[in-house]
Amino acid sequence: MRMKSVPMLALAVLVTGSSGAAADWQHYVNARFGTSADVPAGFVRASPPDNGDGQTFTSSDGGSVTIFGGLNPMGSSLAEYRRFLTGVLEEDGWTLSYLPEGRTWFVLSGTRDGELLYRRVEHRASCRADLLHHIEFRYPSSRAAAWSPIVKRGATTLDGPCG
């Protein structure tokens, strides 16, 4: 039993650069939009953007997690915003290969130059799609296995109010 926990602790140390256990997380809440999600405690906060929309956290392996909120620039449906964002990412050179969606959320994920991208966008089920909550992960493709539990936890804890 003890042997199984050692690799998970080593994984947490490698990814976060921290000596803490895999369960060491911080919960970020954006003051402007209320968007929130969990991030490994060992990740370092970058300087916040001037507009106060969110926060980026970086890891020692060159990856990052960005959590932010914002008003829907399309002013209409979540599906229209998904189409818009897909176009923006593809124009930026990303090859998107994983594109699941639901009534109140979608994910855009793909690769570019040895880097993986995973972005989840959602809004509260009881709300219109005016205020959108985002979490984006970017990390080296070679670190996909190490990042998998980080992406899973971050994406499942993404939350926020209607606005």
Side-chain angles (χ1 to χ4, degrees):
M1 200 75 172
R2 185 164 178 85
M3 295 297 282
K4 289 183 180 179
S5 64
V6 172
M8 287 307 294
L9 178 58
L11 177 64
V13 171
L14 285 172
V15 172
T16 66
S18 165
S19 61
D24 288 344
W25 293 83
Q26 57 184 312
H27 188 71
Y28 167 76
V29 179
N30 173 258
R32 181 172 180 197
F33 291 111
T35 303
S36 65
D38 289 351
V39 178
F43 281 32
V44 177
R45 280 182 191 241
S47 296
D50 291 338
N51 64 11
D53 285 356
Q55 183 68 56
T56 296
F57 300 82
T58 59
S59 69
S60 61
D61 67 359
S64 66
V65 178
T66 303
I67 302 164
F68 63 100
L71 299 176
N72 184 344
M74 306 314 294
S76 57
S77 74
L78 188 63
E80 283 185 44
Y81 180 61
R82 180 179 184 267
R83 283 189 294 277
F84 166 77
L85 188 55
T86 298
V88 168
L89 291 171
E90 288 174 340
E91 284 179 24
D92 200 29
W94 290 96
T95 300
L96 301 175
S97 57
Y98 181 66
L99 309 163
E101 63 182 310
R103 189 174 61 81
T104 61
W105 62 273
F106 64 85
V107 169
L108 302 175
S109 184
T111 59
R112 179 184 72 185
D113 301 327
E115 186 178 30
L116 287 171
L117 165 80
Y118 181 102
R119 183 184 286 192
R120 181 176 176 93
V121 178
E122 61 183 53
H123 68 89
R124 300 287 299 227
S126 59
C127 309
R128 295 188 336 228
D130 294 340
L131 178 57
L132 302 173
H133 305 287
H134 298 241
I135 189 165
E136 181 179 279
F137 306 87
R138 292 184 184 210
Y139 52 93
S141 299
S142 62
R143 303 285 295 148
W147 273 81
S148 181
I150 296 167
V151 171
K152 182 177 181 181
R153 173 129 177 204
T156 59
T157 59
L158 178 64
D159 199 9
C162 288

